[in-house]
Amino acid sequence: MPINEQKLAQMKAKSEQVRIGGKHSQRRKKKVVHKTTTDDKKLQNHLKKLGVNNIPGIEEVNMVRDDSTVLHFQSPKVQASLQANTIAISGNAEEKPMTEMLPTLLNQFIGTGGEGIPDLKSLIKNKPQEEGGEEGGNADDEDVPDLVENFEDVSKKDDV
């Protein structure tokens, strides 16, 4: 039986492309790519090294950005470590406009004793100016408080 040399050369070339081992090893038809969640595992290992503890009972987390958008987490997993000054928030996040989240944010700020309300007011004031409001140059002047006392006199008293 005659052997077709051209056909034999094609088969050898094809077999060497997919061979994964030595001369008599098994061939595979397609390379399998494994998708792993190594980033998540690495992050969890680093958090474990920091000694974070789960904080239960947090229903939602809102982060207000400088561009007046809110990063909203509904039922997140919150972990914290006071020694490492670290808080990790994980879960599904949605980016929402400030106007949509304003009633929720006001209730949260009032619940904390009103500490964040001045920051919220400044964000709301800056929002129309970024969109083309009338007051272009006065925004910087409003943020700077007026001087109450003369600081040079106070420093001279400390030196004496």
Side-chain angles (χ1 to χ4, degrees), residues 30-110:
K30 172 174 127 176
K31 185 176 179 182
V32 178
V33 178
H34 297 287
K35 294 182 180 179
T36 60
T37 58
T38 56
D39 291 339
D40 191 38
K41 289 179 183 177
K42 286 181 182 179
L43 179 64
Q44 290 301 323
N45 285 336
H46 285 295
L47 289 174
K48 191 182 289 185
K49 287 179 185 177
L50 290 174
V52 295
N53 296 321
N54 287 337
I55 302 175
I58 295 181
E59 297 173 5
E60 66 179 0
V61 173
N62 294 315
M63 294 183 183
V64 180
R65 295 182 176 172
D66 290 337
D67 62 350
S68 297
T69 57
V70 178
L71 193 62
H72 176 74
F73 292 87
Q74 187 66 37
S75 64
K77 179 180 179 183
V78 180
Q79 299 171 314
S81 172
L82 295 177
Q83 297 85 7
N85 196 18
T86 304
I87 298 175
I89 301 169
S90 57
N92 293 331
E94 299 176 28
E95 190 170 331
K96 296 183 177 182
M98 175 80 80
T99 55
E100 184 179 328
M101 296 297 297
L102 197 57
T104 307
L105 291 174
L106 283 176
N107 288 337
Q108 290 175 354
F109 282 131
I110 291 171

Side-chain angles (χ1 to χ4, degrees), residues 2-14:
I3 298 175
N4 187 351
E5 296 294 327
Q6 185 180 9
K7 186 78 167 177
L8 183 62
Q10 284 178 348
M11 289 176 69
K12 278 187 178 181
K14 193 173 185 180

Side-chain angles (χ1 to χ4, degrees), residues 15-29:
S15 69
E16 292 193 14
Q17 290 175 357
V18 294
R19 183 170 285 155
I20 58 173
K23 198 172 190 178
H24 298 287
S25 67
Q26 185 179 17
R27 289 183 234 149
R28 74 177 151 191
K29 297 184 183 203

